[in-house]
Amino acid sequence: MTVAQTLTQKLLAAACGRDDVAVGEIVTCRVDLAMFHDSSGPRRLQPMLESLGAQLWDKSKVVLVIDHYVPESDDESRRIVRIARDWASAQALPNVYDSVGICHVVVPEHGHLRPGMFCVGGDSHSPTGGAFGAYMFGIGSTEMLGVAVSGEIWVKVPDTLQMRWDGRLSDGVTAKDMMLHMIGRFGMNGGRYQAIEFCGEAVRALSMQERMTLSNMSAELGSQVGLIAPDETTLDYLRSVGVTDDIDIARWQGDPDAAAELHTFDAAALAPQVAAPHSPANTRNVGEFADVAVDVAYLGACTGAKLDDLRAAARVLQGKRVADGMRFVVAPASQRDQAQAAREGVMDVLTAAGAQVLANTCGACAGYGGSIPEGATVMSSTARNFKGRMGSETAKVYLGSPYTVAAAALTGRIADPRDMLA
């Protein structure tokens, strides 16, 4: 008898070589791709592999992205990056991306993710891969050692929560607002072991990069993965980045009668959202923060500086200048996205408005780069606003969409970006 399965269960069943799996089962899954970066990877894995006398199970399934400690600004950064580069060279790794962008953007834009894959990443925002219908989640260095040697990892089949967004988002409202609203409603959900599947008309209407934002920040909802069933939008993106494999979209859809906890939302009613210091769960409508003065507007990170995000900010700032005394920082998420934004004139709009453009790295999102001064009030497109997260212990960081960050840059305060788009 065929057992109804969620997308979560179908992906895990395929990874462990079975027809179906049940919630709560522990299964051993074959890994299709293991991603790590300069912070989580070679400097931790190399000594452990050497102590075991072990080798990588399949170098073709390993992706290394050097994105955290670049550009190297001090001796410690230079040491960490040198370890990564030397190890990649000694291992003759075929998939190395050095200083070209943030891992969660670089990996899909080079065609490494496809529906049906089972992947792990050495970073907590690895669930970004779920936007492509891939089961991808973050693991620590010890777990990554096991994967690196065996190509396998065990997983307990989680409960599935379906977040269904009906209707369409209004202009100036984004996937970031959807996610902040969900985090504000459910909290960061520590302690519950779950998989989240995003669905509904509003999710289907999102671009791939917007879907990536949803999946990325499922980590802030406390979920192992954030999955979106693949469709023609997925296929079009994959073809655009050179993926030529046959992709069976129909296979990677959850069964309509599969058991899942359903929550519904009205996309049309959603206003821009802002999370106050020091948690993404401190989220309310943007209007509740009116006239909070801002010193720095930061447009950066894997969840806030992709091509779609840069375009959104440029719509607000077209033909305008940022407020007097405002520091507006832009760190595009990848070299490729920045180049396309330049071709479209988007980067010209941002720089003409007063943007300081930084390198295509994690930068201040992960506390590197020194772009956030002590005591500053920051409006940021990043995923987290924990105390000290962006480097400064005394900064007060508010989170919002790229539209909302641009509105703050323009006005010097937290403001509703829809007023600038009218």
Side-chain angles (χ1 to χ4, degrees):
M1 185 180 76
T2 303
V3 179
Q5 300 274 277
T6 63
L7 175 57
T8 298
Q9 291 171 299
K10 287 188 176 185
L11 290 166
L12 289 175
C16 69
R18 290 170 45 180
D19 293 330
D20 54 71
V21 293
V23 172
E25 276 192 281
I26 294 176
V27 294
T28 299
C29 298
R30 298 179 301 275
V31 174
D32 296 309
L33 179 142
M35 181 278 294
F36 37 80
H37 47 61
D38 47 325
S39 182
S40 67
R43 67 172 174 147
R44 304 185 190 283
L45 284 176
Q46 182 183 16
M48 293 191 289
L49 286 167
E50 288 177 350
S51 69
L52 293 173
Q55 300 293 321
L56 293 174
W57 98 101
D58 188 338
K59 294 177 183 179
S60 70
K61 295 182 178 180
V62 169
V63 178
L64 170 63
V65 184
I66 299 175
D67 64 354
H68 272 61
Y69 286 92
V70 288
E72 306 96 293
S73 58
D74 52 42
D75 288 343
E76 179 66 2
S77 297
R78 284 186 281 273
R79 183 188 71 84
I80 292 168
V81 172
R82 184 175 64 251
I83 290 171
R85 289 172 177 157
D86 289 351
W87 188 74
S89 177
Q91 294 288 325
L93 295 182
N95 304 307
V96 179
Y97 301 99
D98 189 343
S99 307
V100 297
I102 304 169
C103 56
H104 311 298
V105 179
V106 169
V107 170
E109 75 180 12
H110 285 86
H112 290 291
L113 298 178
R114 295 176 298 285
M117 292 180 69
F118 180 90
C119 313
V120 296
D123 189 278
S124 59
H125 284 115
S126 297
T128 305
F132 298 87
Y135 199 101
M136 187 168 186
F137 59 103
I139 60 175
S141 297
T142 305
E143 289 177 297
M144 187 62 81
L145 173 65
V147 170
V149 174
S150 69
E152 296 182 338
I153 190 171
W154 65 264
V155 176
K156 182 179 179 181
V157 181
D159 290 315
T160 297
L161 276 65
Q162 289 183 344
M163 304 294 190
R164 191 183 76 204
W165 284 83
D166 298 322
R168 294 289 187 100
L169 296 172
S170 59
D171 192 22
V173 184
T174 69
K176 181 67 169 289
D177 299 303
M178 297 165 72
M179 180 49 71
L180 287 176
H181 178 74
M182 287 184 280
I183 299 168
R185 175 170 163 179
F186 295 103
M188 297 193 73
N189 218 12
R192 179 169 185 180
Y193 183 62
Q194 64 193 25
I196 291 176
E197 298 180 9
F198 302 104
C199 57
E201 180 186 359
V203 173
R204 291 192 298 272
L206 295 175
S207 68
M208 278 311 305
Q209 289 199 334
E210 283 283 85
R211 295 179 187 190
M212 288 163 64
T213 296
L214 277 187
S215 295
N216 177 295
M217 288 188 67
S218 61
E220 277 67 52
L221 269 172
S223 182
Q224 185 180 49
V225 291
L227 302 174
I228 300 173
D231 57 14
E232 289 301 321
T233 298
T234 320
L235 189 58
D236 289 345
Y237 178 94
L238 293 174
R239 297 300 181 231
S240 77
V241 297
V243 175
T244 58
D245 305 19
D246 289 333
I247 296 172
D248 185 359
I249 291 175
R251 181 181 177 186
W252 305 114
Q253 308 293 319
D255 296 326
D257 54 343
E261 180 180 315
L262 177 65
H263 299 275
T264 59
F265 305 86
D266 180 3
L270 186 67
Q273 304 288 293
V274 171
H278 293 285
S279 170
N282 293 337
T283 293
R284 301 190 297 278
N285 288 352
V286 65
E288 297 188 38
F289 298 95
D291 299 323
V292 172
V294 174
D295 304 304
V296 180
Y298 186 82
L299 191 70
C302 51
T303 193
K306 301 182 291 298
L307 178 59
D308 283 356
D309 305 319
L310 301 173
R311 288 168 172 163
R315 286 190 62 204
V316 173
L317 293 165
Q318 178 76 49
K320 303 181 180 75
R321 288 283 300 179
V322 302
D324 291 343
M326 168 62 63
R327 187 176 183 193
F328 178 36
V329 180
V330 178
S334 79
Q335 209 172 75
R336 182 177 294 189
D337 277 357
Q338 182 173 352
Q340 180 59 32
R343 286 190 289 271
E344 295 177 9
V346 167
M347 295 307 299
D348 287 340
V349 170
L350 298 178
T351 54
Q356 173 192 5
V357 180
L358 301 184
N360 313 119
T361 68
C362 293
C365 175
Y368 309 122
S371 53
I372 304 301
E374 291 292 335
T377 298
V378 185
M379 187 71 233
S380 177
S381 65
T382 55
R384 292 172 180 161
N385 60 344
F386 307 145
K387 187 175 182 178
R389 164 76 183 183
M390 296 185 76
S392 167
E393 287 288 334
T394 57
K396 291 182 287 188
V397 179
Y398 293 79
L399 302 178
S401 77
Y403 283 116
T404 306
V405 170
L410 186 62
T411 63
R413 57 185 174 81
I414 296 177
D416 192 329
R418 295 174 297 181
D419 296 338
M420 291 90 180
L421 296 173

